[in-house]
């Protein structure tokens, strides 16, 4: 009887399903907007090509050119270093305004760098200066040229991208909070009453919002990353990702640069706006797909998106709410180790052993030599935490 009652309850949801599906069909694509290019002046184009041709097969995981706007800034220069260190770019096209500063903070003797000197008005030379660029990372504080850069990479991209973003924008946390209703601001003072939101010098947050809007309507596959407060001396750790503009805390610039570069190869980030902060002392994960996949694309944040998510949860069953999914996604990012897969652990195996593919003291998962009593020394001590459970020292009831 209970099952039949449950079945009738599910059928009673059909009208809601029909309404939701209708709303989904009414959703239209955001129109594309273009701004006339401002132009750039190029220097040293093609220098990295020779180095790439001389590289051994397989030395670089990707043969692509990545442009970095704001390359001489404190974040931009770290992005350039990370691109060169990680091998995620065969050539790095650095966009700079001050050649002297560039020579001081960038390794211009590296043949993989191509310097593009920005002029005040160099219309018509932008495309030639950044010829062959496959993707871009925007670290500039301003928005001058951001649409042109997005337009340049819109239809580009190397064959390895597989749907990953080609325009990665570094924005800032807190940029929507000045626009929150007063009631929402008073409800969350820990994020809405902080100095940067209260004072908003020079409408900095408003300018960041405007730049984000340009990227979203450019038509380019993009991701927008919003770091919390940046400090050069913050300890490195693991990027913690979220949405909703509630993130507060500190972000290591080194972690930020690493994340911006990693997003070039994360298809699950495309079309999304993501916040990050650093969790010191945690190792970086092998990848960010599991943290990014549950996050919503910008196109899903409206009423139609909520309807789609509600329909999906209803069809999946299980009774999980949006709040449950959000808590699960956030806390899974705080797992120890690099694999971040607690479901793959064997009893008696540590997260570090799991990362290295090493067997735990009780054998492989599914074949554990489970002791008859929880008092057994083989599972007490440090190993009892490996499975994420705080095991009692008494026998299970």
């Amino acid at each position: 009887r209970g099952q039949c009652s449950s079945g009738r309850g599910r059928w009673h949801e059909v009208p809601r399903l029909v309404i939701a599906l209708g709303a989904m069909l009414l959703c239209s694509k955001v129109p594309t907007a273009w701004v006339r290019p401002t132009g750039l002046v190029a220097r040293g184009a093609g220098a990295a090509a020779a180095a790439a041709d001389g590289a051994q097969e397989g030395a670089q995981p990707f043969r692509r050119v990545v442009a970095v706007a704001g390359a001489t800034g404190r974040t931009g220069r770290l992005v350039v270093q990370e691109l060169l260190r990680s091998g995620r770019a065969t050539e790095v096209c650095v966009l700079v305004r001050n050649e002297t500063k560039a020579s001081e903070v960038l390794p211009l003797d590296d043949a993989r760098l191509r310097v593009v000197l920005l002029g005040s008005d160099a219309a018509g030379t932008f495309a030639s200066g950044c010829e062959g660029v496959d993707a871009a990372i925007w670290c500039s504080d301003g928005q001058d040229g951001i649409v042109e850069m997005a337009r340049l990479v819109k239809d580009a991209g190397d064959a390895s991208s597989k749907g990953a973003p080609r325009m990665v924008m570094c924005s800032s946390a807190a940029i929507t909070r000045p626009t929150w209703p007063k009631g929402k601001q008073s409800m969350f003072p820990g994020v809405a009453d902080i100095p940067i939101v209260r004072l908003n010098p020079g409408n900095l947050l408003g300018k960041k919002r405007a730049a984000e809007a340009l990227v979203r309507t450019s038509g380019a596959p993009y991701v927008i990353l919003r770091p919390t407060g940046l400090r050069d001396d913050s300890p490195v750790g693991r990027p913690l990702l979220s949405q909703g503009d509630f993130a507060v805390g500190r972000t290591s610039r080194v972690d930020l640069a690493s994340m911006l570069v990693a997003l070039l190869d994360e298809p699950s980030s495309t079309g999304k706006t993501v916040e990050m902060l650093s969790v010191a002392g945690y190792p970086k994960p092998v990848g960010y797909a599991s943290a990014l996949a549950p996050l919503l694309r910008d196109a899903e944040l409206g009423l139609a998106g909520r309807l789609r998510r509600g329909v999906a949860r209803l069809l999946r069953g299980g009774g999980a709410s949006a709040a449950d999914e959000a808590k699960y996604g956030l806390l899974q990012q705080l797992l120890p180790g690099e694999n971040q897969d607690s479901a793959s652990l064997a009893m008696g195996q540590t997260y570090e052993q799991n990362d290295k593919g090493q067997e735990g003291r009780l054998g492989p998962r599914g074949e554990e030599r489970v002791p008859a009593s929880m008092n057994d020394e083989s599972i007490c001590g440090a190993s009892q935490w490996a499975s994420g459970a705080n095991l009692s020292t008494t026998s299970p009831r």
Side-chain angles (χ1 to χ4, degrees), residues 117-135:
L117 186 62
L118 295 170
S120 58
D121 183 19
T125 62
F126 182 88
S128 60
C130 294
E131 183 179 2
V133 166
D134 301 302

PDB file of all heavy atoms in Angstrom, residues 117-135:
ATOM      1  N   LEU A 117      53.261  44.228 -27.256  1.00  0.00           N
ATOM      2  CA  LEU A 117      53.237  45.505 -26.560  1.00  0.00           C
ATOM      3  C   LEU A 117      51.955  46.248 -26.901  1.00  0.00           C
ATOM      4  O   LEU A 117      51.676  46.555 -28.053  1.00  0.00           O
ATOM      5  CB  LEU A 117      54.457  46.343 -26.964  1.00  0.00           C
ATOM      6  CG  LEU A 117      54.666  47.654 -26.212  1.00  0.00           C
ATOM      7  CD1 LEU A 117      54.899  47.390 -24.729  1.00  0.00           C
ATOM      8  CD2 LEU A 117      55.830  48.425 -26.815  1.00  0.00           C
ATOM      9  N   LEU A 118      51.159  46.524 -25.882  1.00  0.00           N
ATOM     10  CA  LEU A 118      49.886  47.202 -26.073  1.00  0.00           C
ATOM     11  C   LEU A 118      50.104  48.694 -26.296  1.00  0.00           C
ATOM     12  O   LEU A 118      50.805  49.342 -25.523  1.00  0.00           O
ATOM     13  CB  LEU A 118      48.989  46.996 -24.852  1.00  0.00           C
ATOM     14  CG  LEU A 118      48.524  45.574 -24.562  1.00  0.00           C
ATOM     15  CD1 LEU A 118      47.874  45.513 -23.199  1.00  0.00           C
ATOM     16  CD2 LEU A 118      47.580  45.097 -25.621  1.00  0.00           C
ATOM     17  N   GLY A 119      49.472  49.230 -27.337  1.00  0.00           N
ATOM     18  CA  GLY A 119      49.516  50.661 -27.578  1.00  0.00           C
ATOM     19  C   GLY A 119      48.205  51.311 -27.180  1.00  0.00           C
ATOM     20  O   GLY A 119      47.212  50.633 -26.902  1.00  0.00           O
ATOM     21  N   SER A 120      48.198  52.640 -27.142  1.00  0.00           N
ATOM     22  CA  SER A 120      46.974  53.351 -26.764  1.00  0.00           C
ATOM     23  C   SER A 120      45.896  53.200 -27.827  1.00  0.00           C
ATOM     24  O   SER A 120      44.707  53.129 -27.516  1.00  0.00           O
ATOM     25  CB  SER A 120      47.272  54.835 -26.535  1.00  0.00           C
ATOM     26  OG  SER A 120      47.841  55.399 -27.709  1.00  0.00           O
ATOM     27  N   ASP A 121      46.294  53.141 -29.080  1.00  0.00           N
ATOM     28  CA  ASP A 121      45.336  52.943 -30.168  1.00  0.00           C
ATOM     29  C   ASP A 121      46.067  52.299 -31.336  1.00  0.00           C
ATOM     30  O   ASP A 121      46.642  52.981 -32.173  1.00  0.00           O
ATOM     31  CB  ASP A 121      44.713  54.279 -30.579  1.00  0.00           C
ATOM     32  CG  ASP A 121      43.649  54.097 -31.654  1.00  0.00           C
ATOM     33  OD1 ASP A 121      43.165  52.963 -31.810  1.00  0.00           O
ATOM     34  OD2 ASP A 121      43.308  55.090 -32.321  1.00  0.00           O
ATOM     35  N   ALA A 122      46.026  51.010 -31.371  1.00  0.00           N
ATOM     36  CA  ALA A 122      46.725  50.283 -32.430  1.00  0.00           C
ATOM     37  C   ALA A 122      45.732  49.401 -33.172  1.00  0.00           C
ATOM     38  O   ALA A 122      45.931  48.200 -33.350  1.00  0.00           O
ATOM     39  CB  ALA A 122      47.857  49.459 -31.857  1.00  0.00           C
ATOM     40  N   ALA A 123      44.639  50.028 -33.600  1.00  0.00           N
ATOM     41  CA  ALA A 123      43.565  49.295 -34.279  1.00  0.00           C
ATOM     42  C   ALA A 123      44.102  48.557 -35.498  1.00  0.00           C
ATOM     43  O   ALA A 123      44.911  49.061 -36.260  1.00  0.00           O
ATOM     44  CB  ALA A 123      42.469  50.269 -34.694  1.00  0.00           C
ATOM     45  N   GLY A 124      43.663  47.363 -35.684  1.00  0.00           N
ATOM     46  CA  GLY A 124      44.041  46.589 -36.852  1.00  0.00           C
ATOM     47  C   GLY A 124      45.239  45.696 -36.645  1.00  0.00           C
ATOM     48  O   GLY A 124      45.520  44.848 -37.499  1.00  0.00           O
ATOM     49  N   THR A 125      45.984  45.888 -35.540  1.00  0.00           N
ATOM     50  CA  THR A 125      47.183  45.077 -35.336  1.00  0.00           C
ATOM     51  C   THR A 125      46.985  44.002 -34.274  1.00  0.00           C
ATOM     52  O   THR A 125      47.890  43.212 -34.020  1.00  0.00           O
ATOM     53  CB  THR A 125      48.366  45.972 -34.914  1.00  0.00           C
ATOM     54  OG1 THR A 125      48.051  46.605 -33.673  1.00  0.00           O
ATOM     55  CG2 THR A 125      48.658  47.000 -35.984  1.00  0.00           C
ATOM     56  N   PHE A 126      45.814  43.975 -33.647  1.00  0.00           N
ATOM     57  CA  PHE A 126      45.563  43.008 -32.582  1.00  0.00           C
ATOM     58  C   PHE A 126      45.672  41.582 -33.101  1.00  0.00           C
ATOM     59  O   PHE A 126      46.383  40.752 -32.533  1.00  0.00           O
ATOM     60  CB  PHE A 126      44.175  43.251 -31.981  1.00  0.00           C
ATOM     61  CG  PHE A 126      43.842  42.339 -30.846  1.00  0.00           C
ATOM     62  CD1 PHE A 126      44.192  42.671 -29.556  1.00  0.00           C
ATOM     63  CD2 PHE A 126      43.175  41.144 -31.059  1.00  0.00           C
ATOM     64  CE1 PHE A 126      43.891  41.827 -28.502  1.00  0.00           C
ATOM     65  CE2 PHE A 126      42.871  40.295 -30.019  1.00  0.00           C
ATOM     66  CZ  PHE A 126      43.239  40.642 -28.740  1.00  0.00           C
ATOM     67  N   ALA A 127      44.959  41.301 -34.179  1.00  0.00           N
ATOM     68  CA  ALA A 127      44.946  39.935 -34.703  1.00  0.00           C
ATOM     69  C   ALA A 127      46.332  39.486 -35.134  1.00  0.00           C
ATOM     70  O   ALA A 127      46.727  38.348 -34.903  1.00  0.00           O
ATOM     71  CB  ALA A 127      43.963  39.835 -35.868  1.00  0.00           C
ATOM     72  N   SER A 128      47.103  40.393 -35.744  1.00  0.00           N
ATOM     73  CA  SER A 128      48.440  40.019 -36.190  1.00  0.00           C
ATOM     74  C   SER A 128      49.372  39.809 -35.012  1.00  0.00           C
ATOM     75  O   SER A 128      50.230  38.925 -35.029  1.00  0.00           O
ATOM     76  CB  SER A 128      49.011  41.093 -37.131  1.00  0.00           C
ATOM     77  OG  SER A 128      49.095  42.343 -36.453  1.00  0.00           O
ATOM     78  N   GLY A 129      49.194  40.616 -33.951  1.00  0.00           N
ATOM     79  CA  GLY A 129      50.060  40.470 -32.786  1.00  0.00           C
ATOM     80  C   GLY A 129      49.817  39.176 -32.042  1.00  0.00           C
ATOM     81  O   GLY A 129      50.728  38.605 -31.449  1.00  0.00           O
ATOM     82  N   CYS A 130      48.583  38.693 -32.048  1.00  0.00           N
ATOM     83  CA  CYS A 130      48.234  37.465 -31.322  1.00  0.00           C
ATOM     84  C   CYS A 130      47.837  36.356 -32.284  1.00  0.00           C
ATOM     85  O   CYS A 130      47.001  35.509 -31.965  1.00  0.00           O
ATOM     86  CB  CYS A 130      47.101  37.743 -30.339  1.00  0.00           C
ATOM     87  SG  CYS A 130      47.546  38.861 -29.006  1.00  0.00           S
ATOM     88  N   GLU A 131      48.426  36.355 -33.447  1.00  0.00           N
ATOM     89  CA  GLU A 131      48.101  35.342 -34.446  1.00  0.00           C
ATOM     90  C   GLU A 131      48.381  33.945 -33.904  1.00  0.00           C
ATOM     91  O   GLU A 131      49.412  33.690 -33.288  1.00  0.00           O
ATOM     92  CB  GLU A 131      48.935  35.572 -35.709  1.00  0.00           C
ATOM     93  CG  GLU A 131      48.617  34.594 -36.842  1.00  0.00           C
ATOM     94  CD  GLU A 131      49.452  34.868 -38.072  1.00  0.00           C
ATOM     95  OE1 GLU A 131      50.298  35.783 -38.014  1.00  0.00           O
ATOM     96  OE2 GLU A 131      49.247  34.163 -39.067  1.00  0.00           O
ATOM     97  N   GLY A 132      47.437  33.059 -34.112  1.00  0.00           N
ATOM     98  CA  GLY A 132      47.614  31.673 -33.700  1.00  0.00           C
ATOM     99  C   GLY A 132      47.267  31.385 -32.256  1.00  0.00           C
ATOM    100  O   GLY A 132      47.447  30.254 -31.796  1.00  0.00           O
ATOM    101  N   VAL A 133      46.747  32.376 -31.519  1.00  0.00           N
ATOM    102  CA  VAL A 133      46.398  32.153 -30.112  1.00  0.00           C
ATOM    103  C   VAL A 133      45.199  31.214 -30.017  1.00  0.00           C
ATOM    104  O   VAL A 133      44.195  31.405 -30.701  1.00  0.00           O
ATOM    105  CB  VAL A 133      46.102  33.495 -29.404  1.00  0.00           C
ATOM    106  CG1 VAL A 133      45.406  33.264 -28.071  1.00  0.00           C
ATOM    107  CG2 VAL A 133      47.394  34.266 -29.181  1.00  0.00           C
ATOM    108  N   ASP A 134      45.305  30.210 -29.166  1.00  0.00           N
ATOM    109  CA  ASP A 134      44.239  29.225 -28.993  1.00  0.00           C
ATOM    110  C   ASP A 134      43.366  29.499 -27.779  1.00  0.00           C
ATOM    111  O   ASP A 134      42.187  29.137 -27.757  1.00  0.00           O
ATOM    112  CB  ASP A 134      44.838  27.822 -28.837  1.00  0.00           C
ATOM    113  CG  ASP A 134      45.667  27.415 -30.034  1.00  0.00           C
ATOM    114  OD1 ASP A 134      45.108  27.398 -31.145  1.00  0.00           O
ATOM    115  OD2 ASP A 134      46.860  27.115 -29.869  1.00  0.00           O
ATOM    116  N   ALA A 135      43.946  30.098 -26.739  1.00  0.00           N
ATOM    117  CA  ALA A 135      43.218  30.360 -25.500  1.00  0.00           C
ATOM    118  C   ALA A 135      43.830  31.572 -24.823  1.00  0.00           C
ATOM    119  O   ALA A 135      44.941  31.991 -25.156  1.00  0.00           O
ATOM    120  CB  ALA A 135      43.268  29.148 -24.578  1.00  0.00           C
TER     121      ALA A 135
END
